Amino acid sequence: HIETNQFLNISHTAAGGKDSWFKSLFVRKVDPRKDAHSHLLAKKEDNNLYKIQFHNVKPECLEAYNKLCDEVLPSIHAEQNYPCELVGTWNTWYGEQDQAVHLWRYRGGYPALTEVMNKLKNNKDFLEYRKERGKMLLSRRNQLLLEFSFWNEPVPRDGPNIYELRSYQLRPGTMIEWGNYWARAISYRQHNREAVGGFFSQIGDLYMVHHLWAYKDLQSREDTRNAAWQHEGWDEVVYYTVPLIQHMESRIMIPLKASPLQ
């Protein structure tokens, strides 16, 4: 009888008025937002844009590729007329093999990126570098990133260190939720200065998050990560953020000689 009465009530609603129950099945109310997710998550005090590059190198060419990068990339970094900085450059040690990872910062956002790209078109050394580099690569890809407001800005550091790049492909629509949890969680991961930078993608693979960490060695990494579980609240962060992830990957990386992050 209850089910019958409910059906009668629904039928009555459908018969009268424009907002029928049938229409409500296909219309979902959405809370209005005045800002894009990137405006809510990124730092307001600066206008930094980051580019991360993944270069898969022919195994027999890796040594020559590294030598070429050590010769050319510092000159671009040091050129004062280019509003860009080399944040770090690495080879992947564990993870995808024979791979180089480069992280650049453009102070001034998209206009700075465009300015640098236009100037490099007339840089003979860079054009020669790109030509030689092309002979050594199997494939390459990149992403444009913004940095989370609650993470450190990456700054040069002395070595020797190993670096871990943890990359998370999130479910679409969950970036704000991820940011809310990690805004609290980052305080649990600062005790050994392991937190280097946190970023989220704007162009390339979307809903992608990258966390960059530094450790003295693999055992230090293990000890530091285990110590996080001793902090009240860390288990809650892990519990609620894991369901947001579609795919995750970890790279252990060794800095090249030219890397400001050693």
Side-chain angles (χ1 to χ4, degrees):
H1 293 295
I2 293 176
E3 291 178 354
T4 302
N5 289 338
Q6 287 177 338
F7 177 76
L8 290 174
N9 289 337
I10 292 172
S11 299
H12 177 73
T13 303
K18 298 179 180 178
D19 296 327
S20 70
W21 71 274
F22 184 79
K23 183 179 179 181
S24 70
L25 295 177
F26 301 95
V27 178
R28 185 165 63 92
K29 291 184 178 180
V30 178
D31 294 332
R33 287 193 181 277
K34 302 301 182 184
D35 291 301
H37 288 175
S38 59
H39 293 167
L40 298 174
L41 292 167
K43 292 183 177 179
K44 304 293 192 299
E45 63 271 19
D46 55 36
N47 190 23
N48 289 341
L49 180 70
Y50 291 80
K51 178 171 69 176
I52 191 167
Q53 300 172 301
F54 300 95
H55 291 175
N56 292 315
V57 185
K58 296 175 183 178
E60 67 273 17
C61 296
L62 186 60
E63 185 176 347
Y65 172 90
N66 289 343
K67 184 174 183 294
L68 185 65
C69 289
D70 284 334
E71 291 173 352
V72 177
L73 299 188
S75 64
I76 299 173
H77 173 77
E79 176 56 66
Q80 294 185 356
N81 291 324
Y82 293 176
C84 69
E85 304 163 7
L86 180 63
V87 177
T89 177
W90 304 267
N91 284 151
T92 300
W93 184 23
Y94 289 104
E96 197 162 354
Q97 296 293 284
D98 304 310
Q99 185 182 73
V101 180
H102 309 295
L103 182 63
W104 294 88
R105 175 167 48 224
Y106 298 87
R107 294 197 183 275
Y110 292 109
L113 172 67
T114 302
E115 179 183 345
V116 171
M117 294 300 101
N118 287 335
K119 288 180 175 178
L120 287 176
K121 292 177 183 177
N122 300 311
N123 184 319
K124 292 182 180 180
D125 291 338
F126 176 77
L127 294 177
E128 183 63 26
Y129 155 77
R130 191 170 64 177
K131 180 180 177 181
E132 290 302 311
R133 184 189 69 183
K135 301 174 184 177
M136 304 177 186
L137 297 184
L138 293 169
S139 65
R140 59 192 178 100
R141 62 187 177 90
N142 59 25
Q143 297 171 10
L144 294 181
L145 315 170
L146 295 177
E147 58 186 331
F148 284 111
S149 60
F150 46 85
W151 270 79
N152 328 352
E153 178 175 304
V155 295
R157 63 171 69 193
D158 296 329
N161 295 293
I162 63 170
Y163 290 82
E164 181 177 19
L165 182 66
R166 295 178 71 87
S167 301
Y168 304 89
Q169 178 69 61
L170 302 187
R171 291 190 295 107
T174 61
M175 187 66 73
I176 293 292
E177 191 174 355
W178 178 276
N180 286 338
Y181 282 113
W182 267 97
R184 290 183 291 134
I186 192 61
S187 63
Y188 306 137
R189 298 298 309 277
Q190 298 278 16
H191 299 285
N192 292 326
R193 295 183 62 246
E194 67 267 29
V196 178
F199 315 91
F200 60 98
S201 62
Q202 288 291 283
I203 296 178
D205 294 331
L206 298 180
Y207 288 98
M208 179 69 71
V209 169
H210 299 288
H211 291 174
L212 183 61
W213 309 93
Y215 305 100
K216 290 301 178 185
D217 50 40
L218 288 174
Q219 186 59 54
S220 171
R221 171 188 177 273
E222 179 76 4
D223 295 341
T224 300
R225 288 176 54 80
N226 287 339
W229 291 93
Q230 306 306 313
H231 298 286
E232 184 177 355
W234 176 251
D235 56 341
E236 180 182 347
V237 169
V238 173
Y239 179 83
Y240 284 109
T241 55
V242 165
L244 309 181
I245 302 169
Q246 285 186 332
H247 174 75
M248 59 189 295
E249 182 179 6
S250 169
R251 289 176 176 84
I252 301 296
M253 308 184 301
I254 304 296
L256 300 186
K257 294 179 182 178
S259 180
L261 288 169
Q262 283 295 315

